[in-house]
Amino acid sequence: FFFFFKQKTAYEILSGLVGSEMCIRDRHKVEVTDIYQLKMFGRIDKTDFTELYDKYYFRPDVEQEQANKKNGTTFVEELRRERDKHIRADIIISIFPYYMWTTPGILQSYYERVYSNGFAIGSHTLEGKKAMRIMTTGGTEDIVKKPIERLMKIFMKWNTLTKLKELPPFFAYAVTHIDEKARKKILEQIAERMTNIDLSLIHI
């Protein structure tokens, strides 16, 4: 089944993605995460854990590794929930705005916490699962296409650690500057991708 990992955006295109989810709910189970509701701001700290492996010297990578050796039982509940969603998922679809030439900071915080050492990195937990990125932009295609391609190359390199397989992304350009008719067309295109998603087609 599909796991939609969704981030709110000021570009207001994601409110229409419920239709995209409904396109596949008849055939697949869909789980949604809104990371703003999780409030995962800032860097990894002691509050991410219910108990610490080393109480005197906090090293995030070591604490994550030790928590994952215990099947994630010493992570706080919200991290355990997100971890379990990734285990259940067949496809992980990240929906986010392309912001200041990269991903938003809160998304990076989510990745650092959930794609943890000993879980997504340094193990085979996510091996063979598919990943897809849906990005909205404020800039037009001619301005942001090349920088986004560079960002996708970073995701592909990251996948060598997580062992995820990347599906072709979907980019919605200049969504703050288009009318409702154009926005509706983009949502229809996304819905079509979700309905006819090709699990064998990997983005290189």
Side-chain angles (χ1 to χ4, degrees):
F1 55 84
F2 290 76
F3 164 44
F4 274 100
F5 153 39
K6 180 163 65 177
Q7 176 174 352
K8 287 182 178 178
T9 167
Y11 302 147
E12 294 184 352
I13 198 168
L14 299 186
S15 59
L17 285 174
V18 173
S20 298
E21 294 166 19
M22 294 306 294
C23 287
I24 61 175
R25 281 187 190 274
D26 290 341
R27 295 180 293 117
H28 304 280
K29 181 178 179 181
V30 179
E31 295 189 76
V32 181
T33 289
D34 180 340
I35 61 175
Y36 270 101
Q37 291 183 351
L38 296 178
K39 296 181 172 61
M40 289 190 184
F41 299 98
R43 62 177 59 183
I44 303 167
D45 59 28
K46 295 179 181 179
T47 61
D48 290 338
F49 307 90
T50 57
E51 63 180 64
L52 295 175
Y53 173 74
D54 187 340
K55 296 181 176 64
Y56 303 102
Y57 182 49
F58 181 70
R59 293 169 292 176
D61 58 330
V62 172
E63 295 298 337
Q64 286 184 335
E65 183 178 23
Q66 293 301 319
N68 284 314
K69 284 181 178 179
K70 298 179 180 179
N71 293 319
T73 55
T74 57
F75 285 117
V76 294
E77 183 180 357
E78 63 181 10
L79 289 179
R80 293 199 305 271
R81 264 199 317 266
E82 297 308 305
R83 186 180 182 277
D84 291 344
K85 284 182 181 179
H86 281 75
I87 292 172
R88 291 192 296 269
D90 294 317
I91 301 179
I92 302 163
I93 303 178
S94 305
I95 307 172
F96 58 92
Y98 179 67
Y99 180 73
M100 296 297 288
W101 314 110
T102 186
T103 59
I106 190 173
L107 177 57
Q108 182 64 34
S109 293
Y110 182 93
Y111 283 149
E112 289 176 358
R113 285 174 160 84
V114 178
Y115 287 65
S116 56
N117 186 37
F119 174 64
I121 297 172
S123 80
H124 297 274
T125 306
L126 302 183
E127 185 170 6
K129 296 178 186 289
K130 312 296 193 303
M132 179 182 174
R133 325 286 168 174
I134 299 177
M135 288 185 235
T136 59
T137 78
T140 55
E141 181 175 0
D142 59 313
I143 294 174
V144 300
K145 184 177 180 180
K146 289 294 183 183
I148 284 182
E149 287 176 354
R150 289 195 290 270
L151 178 60
M152 284 305 302
K153 288 180 180 178
I154 293 173
F155 278 126
M156 294 300 294
K157 288 183 178 179
W158 191 45
N159 287 348
T160 62
L161 298 176
T162 63
K163 299 178 176 62
L164 289 166
K165 295 182 178 180
E166 195 77 23
L167 292 169
F170 184 96
F171 305 126
Y173 296 103
V175 294
T176 53
H177 307 290
I178 58 178
D179 59 23
E180 191 58 36
K181 182 178 179 180
R183 187 175 285 108
K184 183 179 178 181
K185 183 178 180 181
I186 290 173
L187 292 170
E188 289 172 349
Q189 291 171 339
I190 296 173
E192 184 178 359
R193 281 286 301 274
M194 296 300 99
T195 304
N196 302 299
I197 193 165
D198 185 349
L199 305 189
S200 65
L201 183 60
I202 306 302
H203 177 70
I204 304 299

